[in-house]
Amino acid sequence: MRKISVAIVAIVAILILVSCNSSEKKTNTSEEKEKTKLEASMARGKNIYTNFCISCHLPNGKGLPKVFPPLAKSDYLKNNRLGSIRSIKYGQSGEIIVNGQTYNGVMAPLGLNDEEIADVMNYITNSWGNYNAKLITVKEVSAIEE
């Protein structure tokens, strides 16, 4: 009888360990998928940035003081997610304040599709001292209206 009790306890312990371990793997897999999505989007976004944005905002994202606002360590990007997306999608004119500096220029619409906008936003919001924990998606970009 004692051998049966020990065997039952051992089986229950093994089942508990296996179930805990498998749920951990599901969580990690989900987190890894999100990280992989972000990394792929950022890689595409870097290419878009190089082709469309670098001439004004420069390779280091610092922009040109009083002319082109910085993207590096940008409080505007951090605090105006939807406005930032809208600026890329439809262009920007009028005053904006970035890191305490007023800019009053014009950024023409770049002609990017929603996926390209999401990719470049994921790149710039996770580069040069910026950090964005929430992936910017095509669905989010497509919902932005002028």
Side-chain angles (χ1 to χ4, degrees):
M1 185 70 152
R2 183 154 169 90
K3 286 182 180 180
I4 292 173
S5 296
V6 171
I8 291 173
V9 169
I11 290 171
V12 169
I14 289 170
L15 289 173
I16 290 171
L17 287 172
V18 168
S19 68
C20 288
N21 194 20
S22 67
S23 73
E24 227 175 82
K25 285 183 182 176
K26 288 179 186 174
T27 301
N28 288 341
T29 302
S30 176
E31 290 171 8
E32 288 171 3
K33 284 181 183 177
E34 282 301 306
K35 184 178 178 186
T36 301
K37 281 183 189 178
L38 177 60
E39 289 171 350
S41 178
M42 286 177 62
R44 292 186 304 267
K46 183 177 183 178
N47 189 36
I48 294 163
Y49 182 85
T50 299
N51 291 323
F52 290 89
C53 314
I54 205 167
S55 60
C56 296
H57 297 286
L58 306 180
N60 59 9
K62 290 186 178 180
L64 188 60
K66 299 182 182 182
V67 181
F68 301 116
L71 302 175
K73 298 180 183 174
S74 171
D75 63 351
Y76 188 86
L77 282 174
K78 181 180 178 182
N79 299 323
N80 296 288
R81 179 181 176 106
L82 299 180
S84 298
I85 295 169
R86 187 176 290 108
S87 293
I88 295 172
K89 190 169 183 174
Y90 298 110
Q92 168 74 41
S93 64
E95 274 190 10
I96 61 170
I97 298 173
V98 182
N99 299 342
Q101 177 73 48
T102 301
Y103 293 85
N104 193 7
V106 175
M107 181 174 119
L110 302 174
L112 301 174
N113 66 40
D114 290 346
E115 182 177 27
E116 291 168 324
I117 294 168
D119 290 341
V120 78
M121 279 293 296
N122 283 316
Y123 174 68
I124 65 177
T125 60
N126 287 288
S127 298
W128 315 299
N130 298 322
Y131 174 71
N132 176 24
K134 185 180 174 200
L135 181 73
I136 296 166
T137 64
V138 174
K139 183 177 178 181
E140 180 180 2
V141 173
S142 67
I144 304 270
E145 296 179 0
E146 196 168 3

